[in-house]
Amino acid sequence: MTSNHPAQQAGPSGAGPSDVGPPEADPSDVEEILSLQDVSVVYEPVGAAPTHAVRGVSAQIARGEFVGLVGESGSGKSTLGFAITGLATAPARIEKGRILFRGRDIASMDQDSLRSQRQGGFAMVLQSGMNALNPVRTIRKHFHDIFAAHRHVPRARREERAAELVGKVSLGPEVLDLYPDQLSGGMRQRVTIALALSLEPQLMVFDEPTTALDVMVQHAVMDTIRDLQASEGFTAILISHDLGIVLESAQRVLVMHDGEIVEDAASADILHRPRHEYTRMLLSHYADPRAEVVTLPGLEDRAVLRSDDPSDASAENPASSSPEPADPSAEPPDPSAARSAPAAPAAPPAPAASSDGASSRRAPVSRLRSGGTELRLQGVSKVYPAARRSGRAVRAVDDVSFTLEPGGATALVGQSGSGKSTIAKLITGIERPSEGTVHLGDTSVGDLGRSGLRDLRRTVQMVFQDPYAALNPLNTVEYTLARAVMNLTDVRRDGARRRVRELLETVGLTPVEQFTGKLPHQLSGGQRQRVVIARALACDPQVIIADEPVSMLDVSLRAGVLSLLRDLRESIGVSLLYITHDLLSARLITDRILVLHDGKVVESGPTARVMRAPQDDYTISLLDAIPNPRRVLTP
Amino acid sequence: MSENTTRASSPSPVGHRPHPAVEALRGGLRAIWGNRKARIGMILLALFILVALLAPLLAPYAPKDNSFDRNLGASAQHWLGTTAAGEDVLSQLIHGARISVIVGFGAGSISTLIAVLIGLTWGYITGFAADVVNFVVNLFLVIPGLPLMIVIATYLQNGGISVIIAVIAITGWAWGARVLRSQTSTLRNRDFVQSAKFSGERAPRIIFREILPNMTSIIAGGFFGSATAAILAEAGLEFLGLGDSSIVSWGTMLYWAQNSNALLTGQWALLFAPGLCIALLATSLTLINFGVDGISNPRLREGSTGR
């Protein structure tokens, strides 16, 4: 679909160009709604070199199609989305090429005709769409603003139409009376979709519509989008970094890489017969955490759980729908394997640890420390008092007990609001438990004073979720690490400098000299997260708490960071508390798992067993919420 | 180890860098210079500073030389005429720039310094101590500035220029402190502050080494704002006769011109010239402030927003 066909603007009636290509057998019923012809978008910031974000993209989208646009960050997918909807603003500029929407070039439209065509034309739903609502106006007013601006709904029908629209996104008419802050993130995103729908667009561009939402909500919102597309018949372009989500929804997928479309094929073809190696690389990072053996490139399954395992005999073989017959990741053709290679020179699955229950105790022999420190939570609860007199006290954590063995790895899993981050705060002493105790060896964390907490930092360290926020943008890598070394250990001057280099080597940022002087913005997300991990390691901690350490990273970078975390555990015997909503990564790097729901532990046990034979309904619904294209597309 | 392309917001050189502070200063100046309005402001300000520095060389006569005829109009000897006391107006104007520039930068720096110290600490701490600071700052905010200035200035009359600077600084820091405090309290919850705590940093270092550099724009903006206010306040105090009326500044020039009914005698230059200078100096600082936003946020640099 990369043929450039010139001279087409002479189609005032928007007649479907019939000269496009072989797939369009009958031009009368397959009308082309959007045509990209060799489109290039360039960012030209003042005083900096221009960046070519989109380079010569050509594509045709037929009316009523559901097309996915997939790529990692920096691939230009959002830039293209903005260009399509006429939202590209300086410093971005459409350098060349044409974007024809029903035969009309979008680039040539002025602001006013752009505005008026939004009704019945094209609309966009943004990633942060839930923040696009004005907090001081009710939802009803948002609808009425749009109706008033376009006057396409008669005054008498407006109330009825607004109720109808929120109904379409599975909300009741009562939300019209509410203010945005009274709605949850998922509800707000539904409202923005309804607002976009109110103009009856023929083309909707969804830019990462669910990325900022919780896993479970994500699933439900995507269902709504799919149903709407089917019932309303608009053409949809779904932009996402998550190939899983896109494959579940879209009929056709465009894969973008470095500003170019590298593959354009039907979803089933992308899944079963990916042609481009970049597509194959993206695909290789999906796996079903319920499978018997879970492998990602650079991350082999460690404690392989055999069904003949005595400890697992009670759990009947789960009805895992697709037991991964031909794993596409068997021979990873991607550069990420080489990427994680230096970090994982010899880390095959822990040899004899087949019994998962015992593996957490036996496998990671803490050869560096005698004893090590055990982290023990007993009946811990945390109650936040009511913010206002009318409000209710929030019980964020409710009677949670668990033990993290020295050198062990435990996952805390749950959706947002399940209390998993509060537990991290309790363990690190940022918050004190309302009931129960947190013990690190013999120390009770809740009773520590200021200096005690400083000492605690030598034992318990944290890896933050967002590597883009966790590093001070103005400090070099060396400064960041050296401060941690000098604060938490007695090493000074040359020793500290040596230690910084050692840390960078440990986390695989080599050659070290290239990285010491860099500022965070000169590093990629994965490299930044490695710096964050290196800082956590500065004082040889015994416990590392990793709060969603890979959720902000592109899939191709995730495996590297995950395998680093796992290897650290084996090489220096640090124990790991891994907080996540992502069950796949939990399966790969932890031995035990606790599933949290509303502050309570609903299920716990060896990770592999819980994933393969979940007992609690909540665990099952968490597992179901994971996008799995194979489930949908496999007949 | 090339994990994806870097997300560098600007293609900064990767090679060896000079000291970060020098780099930051140079970058800041470049950012200001990149804005057209700010560039005009910088040129204007540079002119004033040059005049102030070279005043003895530029001025045709000594500022207090009253050996000339009184109330002369403009002439080749006295471009702007002479005062009622028989001094050359142009020489006074040139020397007056020194006072305004000194007061502007002196009082501006001191009040910015106080605002930074108090505002950042206040934003970082919580609990009772924060309430105490809150009370003190509110006290300074609700006391009307001009009357307080007048009261202090009359009490310390004839203490010279340093008293004026002190008075203006004391009455001028509170608003800046409040602005900096609110910015600090949003930054203190950022992950990098949390992680600095985890690397064992102590509070003062977190406040002034981790948080402060992230607020360069707002601090620089506050500085130029309070320098402007200080220049205007100094002129105001002198005009009211509350400063040291024996020194030569634009404010005292206005004071004496008013006293001698310069407008009635048709000597417009006596009022107009110092007034225009005050306005131009204040304008130059305000213009520079337009470019300050771009220091720490490249997106706000002119031309990059699509305007």
Side-chain angles (χ1 to χ4, degrees), chain A residues 190-422:
Chain A
R190 284 167 192 272
V191 168
T192 49
I193 293 171
L195 285 169
L197 271 182
S198 71
L199 292 169
E200 294 143 17
Q202 297 178 25
L203 172 69
M204 291 260 270
V205 178
F206 298 92
D207 187 5
E208 306 259 9
T210 59
T211 305
L213 300 175
D214 206 45
V215 245
M216 312 275 285
V217 185
Q218 208 167 6
H219 198 54
V221 171
M222 276 318 298
D223 281 344
T224 305
I225 292 177
R226 263 196 300 277
D227 294 347
L228 272 177
Q229 198 265 340
S231 62
E232 303 287 304
F234 54 79
T235 312
I237 299 178
L238 172 66
I239 301 174
S240 178
H241 68 279
D242 192 334
L243 187 57
I245 287 180
V246 169
L247 283 175
E248 274 191 346
S249 312
Q251 302 156 354
R252 188 153 69 94
V253 178
L254 311 176
V255 182
M256 255 189 117
H257 181 51
D258 276 346
E260 286 165 10
I261 291 183
V262 295
E263 188 153 3
D264 175 355
S267 298
D269 286 338
I270 293 270
L271 178 61
H272 298 297
R273 290 172 290 281
R275 286 197 306 271
H276 197 275
E277 68 175 87
Y278 182 71
T279 316
R280 281 200 287 270
M281 188 277 289
L282 285 179
L283 271 172
S284 69
H285 288 278
Y286 285 87
D288 186 349
R290 281 184 273 206
E292 199 173 335
V293 179
V294 183
T295 311
L296 289 188
L299 258 180
E300 296 80 16
D301 200 328
R302 31 183 303 106
V304 178
L305 179 70
R306 299 286 171 220
S307 49
D308 57 354
D309 191 311
S311 75
D312 195 40
S314 58
E316 79 273 41
N317 205 13
S320 89
S321 50
S322 58
E324 310 271 318
D327 197 332
S329 65
E331 19 100 46
D334 66 284
S336 78
R339 205 173 279 145
S340 51
S354 58
S355 164
D356 46 74
S359 71
S360 63
R361 239 147 285 166
R362 256 194 299 140
V365 201
S366 38
R367 44 185 180 272
L368 296 183
R369 294 198 183 81
S370 54
T373 318
E374 174 185 84
L375 176 69
R376 204 167 58 250
L377 275 74
Q378 275 175 330
V380 170
S381 297
K382 176 70 190 174
V383 182
Y384 289 103
R388 275 166 289 153
R389 208 176 308 161
S390 56
R392 281 213 328 266
V394 179
R395 209 172 178 83
V397 176
D398 194 359
D399 192 24
V400 169
S401 305
F402 69 89
T403 305
L404 179 59
E405 318 263 345
T410 297
L412 277 181
V413 173
Q415 69 191 102
S416 56
S418 61
K420 52 193 198 305
S421 292
T422 309

Side-chain angles (χ1 to χ4, degrees), chain A residues 2 6 19 51 72 86-87 99 122 135-136 147 200 204 219 259 283-284 327 330 355 360 377 387 486 530 589 606 626:
Chain A
T2 45
D19 59 331
T51 313
E72 294 184 288
L87 291 173
I99 303 169
F122 42 78
V136 295
F147 295 151
E200 294 143 17
M204 291 260 270
H219 198 54
L283 271 172
S284 69
D327 197 332
S355 164
S360 63
L377 275 74
M486 295 199 286
R530 283 168 193 268
I589 67 168
I626 301 170

Side-chain angles (χ1 to χ4, degrees), chain A residues 214-216 411-421 423 547-548 578-583 586 593-603 611 618-619 621-623:
Chain A
D214 206 45
V215 245
M216 312 275 285
L412 277 181
V413 173
Q415 69 191 102
S416 56
S418 61
K420 52 193 198 305
S421 292
I423 291 180
D547 190 355
E548 305 260 15
Y578 181 67
I579 298 174
T580 189
H581 67 264
D582 173 20
L583 294 165
I593 190 168
L594 285 101
V595 182
L596 282 168
H597 184 41
D598 288 341
K600 291 193 187 66
V601 176
V602 294
E603 188 157 3
M611 301 259 178
Y618 179 72
T619 317
S621 56
L622 264 183
L623 280 162

Side-chain angles (χ1 to χ4, degrees), chain A residues 361-625:
Chain A
R361 239 147 285 166
R362 256 194 299 140
V365 201
S366 38
R367 44 185 180 272
L368 296 183
R369 294 198 183 81
S370 54
T373 318
E374 174 185 84
L375 176 69
R376 204 167 58 250
L377 275 74
Q378 275 175 330
V380 170
S381 297
K382 176 70 190 174
V383 182
Y384 289 103
R388 275 166 289 153
R389 208 176 308 161
S390 56
R392 281 213 328 266
V394 179
R395 209 172 178 83
V397 176
D398 194 359
D399 192 24
V400 169
S401 305
F402 69 89
T403 305
L404 179 59
E405 318 263 345
T410 297
L412 277 181
V413 173
Q415 69 191 102
S416 56
S418 61
K420 52 193 198 305
S421 292
T422 309
I423 291 180
K425 287 183 184 162
L426 293 171
I427 294 171
T428 50
I430 295 173
E431 301 270 5
R432 286 167 206 280
S434 314
E435 293 155 33
T437 54
V438 179
H439 273 97
L440 190 73
D442 300 325
T443 343
S444 169
V445 174
D447 302 330
L448 290 176
R450 189 174 298 186
S451 66
L453 279 178
R454 282 175 59 82
D455 287 340
L456 182 72
R457 307 271 180 257
R458 292 174 216 268
T459 328
V460 181
Q461 274 288 335
M462 187 140 177
V463 174
F464 290 84
Q465 172 174 15
D466 184 355
Y468 299 98
L471 294 174
N472 191 331
L474 304 171
N475 289 341
T476 61
V477 169
E478 180 163 35
Y479 176 85
T480 303
L481 294 180
R483 286 302 303 172
V485 169
M486 295 199 286
N487 281 326
L488 299 171
T489 63
D490 300 324
V491 185
R492 290 288 174 278
R493 295 169 184 283
D494 283 349
R497 212 162 296 142
R498 252 198 317 279
R499 178 79 181 126
V500 167
R501 278 160 177 64
E502 211 175 285
L503 287 168
L504 284 172
E505 255 163 44
T506 314
V507 297
L509 289 178
T510 45
V512 168
E513 291 69 33
Q514 268 185 24
F515 289 97
T516 46
K518 290 213 173 168
L519 290 170
H521 76 94
Q522 296 169 319
L523 303 174
S524 75
Q527 290 169 339
R528 289 188 210 198
Q529 195 60 290
R530 283 168 193 268
V531 175
V532 173
I533 294 172
R535 173 169 57 188
L537 292 173
C539 55
D540 265 326
Q542 305 193 9
V543 180
I544 284 189
I545 296 167
D547 190 355
E548 305 260 15
V550 296
S551 68
M552 308 288 286
L553 301 180
D554 280 329
V555 280
S556 60
L557 305 178
R558 284 183 188 181
V561 172
L562 287 175
S563 68
L564 170 64
L565 281 172
R566 198 177 68 177
D567 297 341
L568 287 175
R569 220 187 107 204
E570 274 150 13
S571 58
I572 40 184
V574 60
S575 49
L576 178 70
L577 184 65
Y578 181 67
I579 298 174
T580 189
H581 67 264
D582 173 20
L583 294 165
L584 177 61
S585 60
R587 169 80 196 265
L588 284 163
I589 67 168
T590 63
D591 304 318
R592 299 187 67 78
I593 190 168
L594 285 101
V595 182
L596 282 168
H597 184 41
D598 288 341
K600 291 193 187 66
V601 176
V602 294
E603 188 157 3
S604 65
T607 307
R609 203 198 70 212
V610 169
M611 301 259 178
R612 297 195 58 208
Q615 303 297 313
D616 191 83
D617 288 344
Y618 179 72
T619 317
I620 294 170
S621 56
L622 264 183
L623 280 162
D624 284 339

Side-chain angles (χ1 to χ4, degrees), chain A residues 83-106:
Chain A
I84 289 171
T85 45
L87 291 173
T89 50
R93 185 171 64 83
I94 298 176
E95 190 183 35
K96 65 182 170 88
R98 293 191 305 155
I99 303 169
L100 298 179
F101 176 69
R102 289 193 289 163
R104 237 185 118 186
D105 193 352
I106 287 174

Side-chain angles (χ1 to χ4, degrees), chain A residues 73 461 472 479 522 524 530, chain B residues 3 6-7 198 200 205 210:
Chain A
S73 52
Q461 274 288 335
N472 191 331
Y479 176 85
Q522 296 169 319
S524 75
R530 283 168 193 268
Chain B
E3 300 203 50
T6 58
R7 293 191 182 204
F198 270 89
R205 201 170 168 105
E210 302 280 336

